[in-house]
Amino acid sequence: MADRDRRPPPPTHVGRSNIPPVSSNVEEEALPEFEPFGIPRGPPNLKDFLDIWDVNMLKNRDEINKKEHHTDLYDNVKLIVRRGQPFQIKLTFSRPYNPEKDQFCVEFLIGGSPQVSKGTYIPVFPNQEQVKGEWGGRILQSADNVVTLSITPAADSIVGKFRMYVAVMTPYGIRRTSRNPERDVYILFNPWCEDDSVCLDNEAERNEYVLNDVGTIYYGEASNVETRPWIFGQFEYGVLDSCLYVMDNAQMPLTGRKDPVKISRVASAMVNSKDDDGIVVGSWSGDYLYGVAPTAWTGSVDILLNYANSGVPVCYGQCWVFAAVFNTFLRCLGIPGRVVTNFFSAHDNDGNLKMDVILDENGQFMPSLTKDSIWNYHCWNECYMSRPDIPVGFGGWQVVDATPQETSDGMYRCGPASVKAIKHGQICFKYDAPFIFAEVNSDVVYWKRMRDGTQQPIKVNKNHVGQMVLTKEVGRDEIKNITDQYKFPEGTEEERLAVDAAVMYNLKRTQITEQPTVVDMDVRVQESVLIGNDFNLTLEFKNRTGQRQTLVIYVNGNIVFYTGVTKTEFMSKSLEFTLGPWETKTENVFVESKKYINKLVEQATLHFIITGRVNDDTQILTAQHVVPLQIPRLTIKIEGVPKLNEEMSATVEFTNPLKKNLEDVSIRLEGPGLMKTKLKMYSIIPPNSSLTWTEYFRPSKSGVRKLVACLDCAALHQVLGVTEIYVNP
């Protein structure tokens, strides 16, 4: 019985390879301080040979290395450099260096079992000829006992934390420095280097997509775009090590960590926890008792540090959280990255380029049979890199998406996929281009279901999906519309050719003969609706004929998650009226707040589906309209002199706008270079009551800094506030 219960040991490399696969940056094997040549015969006499007294890494923020490598913002005391670019170290020997008789090298090692052929062991000799794009070193200055050495990592070096030794060659063996973690060197991607595969040749874009540690995420609805500030915090203490831990936890081979294509694909799986215990647990349920609500986060730093310190996925996230954390990962490692929002994003899981809406014979919406969902918005990432793995011309911005929607090669991940390839319908190139093409190009197809169960298509809306693709503008807090980078204008020859190309690669598009238009219908809300207020949904009908028309209209109001999934129906109304020849008529549907206020989910969005028929069956009318309810903002007031290390205060103010108590309210306050995350809890805030919360801080970084606050509770989500401070040195 005991033998039957015994489990087999885990598989090993034994018999398959000489060493186990190397997939850990932290694993190491210390090199001996003296490595003899052959079998030593007693202790060697090394007094006549060079000894290393000191190694100066020039690693302080105000010294040459970090400034020239654009790494002086990292809150990390170790040397951080970028590949393909020289950095300097100073070596102090026991006597003046004599190139005629002295020989030394600087050794860089990463992971266990380092090998030259794998790029995990690199000896750099200062007198060897430099080869462009490869590791090299040269002596800049030799004065007395001090040698200043310039070292250039290869432009395709592995990215990670290297151990460094200085080794002196003697007739008896190799004398080297002892293992000292203070001499570890982080090597990152280099968008400033033309030989690096992530090279970005625009300085303003490098400042935005690599060095900016605060950003803006867009959400809401295409006609009413909302902004959410986010602290990426890629330079904060511990974040760089956390990003390396993510790759270690994915068991990504070190040899693959020189390739941004492989790293971004691995990270798109690791940012979500769906199948690999990755960083963030996704949840759209509305129940966040065992973690932090997705709407309550203000930045990526706490998420990454919690994950790296515990090894346990952090609860909870939704698409903008996945995208923001992914963006921190990319920028931290030196890969240019940005968060992108697609408004009305199709979740197409069968590759047919259509989202089906089912109506009954009377033209009334059938929610029980309508399974496809169109997200009000969906956030993903773009990262900038060359693509040597696909044909020339498809490098540049690549889509990567960490939100767990569909599996790719057996894991929940998506991309990288070339934005240019998506625009031109060239969806045969890896990775996951068909899925992304459908997210911005799907049609909404309305079907009439007969009593016998058969269905016939009655209308196709080609313009609803992918209405806008937005990201933050370079250098300023404004919207940059990049829709034209994903798709050609609807109806143009270029758009037709792109869709034809996609169809050629097995995507299918529904073709129908639509009914003649007898009556036009327009749906609108006159002005923004504050949460908790009543409003009118205005329907305008225009008879385009000289005949009288009889209309039957159905209005269904639903509480929906931002993913387009319906939580509950809160109103249903029907209208019947007649339009005279060429007549235009307006009907107002009154929406009472008491019908929706206690049913809202965190995005506070109402979704109306308006359908109907003209003259029994002359024409079926269909429309969808999303009403995002306006959420009040937090006010942040700053007092004190904005000067480095001088005490200041930030006061957060808020008034409850609802006609009911807010319970278990949390407020987060965070600002890189200003303060670590602060959290304040309130058990109850009565209607029309105000709160005031003051926190004191001392700025640790100069320049333009941002402070972000977020209030969250069960009844009110995404209550945000942001203020900008210029900190004097």
Side-chain angles (χ1 to χ4, degrees), residues 374-392:
I374 299 174
W375 297 31
N376 292 345
Y377 66 93
H378 177 49
C379 298
W380 60 64
N381 299 83
E382 288 180 4
C383 50
Y384 195 90
M385 62 186 69
S386 63
R387 288 296 301 271
D389 57 324
I390 59 178
V392 173

Side-chain angles (χ1 to χ4, degrees), residues 349-393:
N349 55 16
D350 54 8
N352 61 9
L353 278 183
K354 64 186 178 71
M355 313 302 294
D356 299 321
V357 179
I358 314 300
L359 312 178
D360 65 15
E361 286 186 303
N362 295 319
Q364 189 163 9
F365 175 59
M366 302 181 73
S368 61
L369 295 180
T370 301
K371 304 301 182 183
D372 288 343
S373 65
I374 299 174
W375 297 31
N376 292 345
Y377 66 93
H378 177 49
C379 298
W380 60 64
N381 299 83
E382 288 180 4
C383 50
Y384 195 90
M385 62 186 69
S386 63
R387 288 296 301 271
D389 57 324
I390 59 178
V392 173

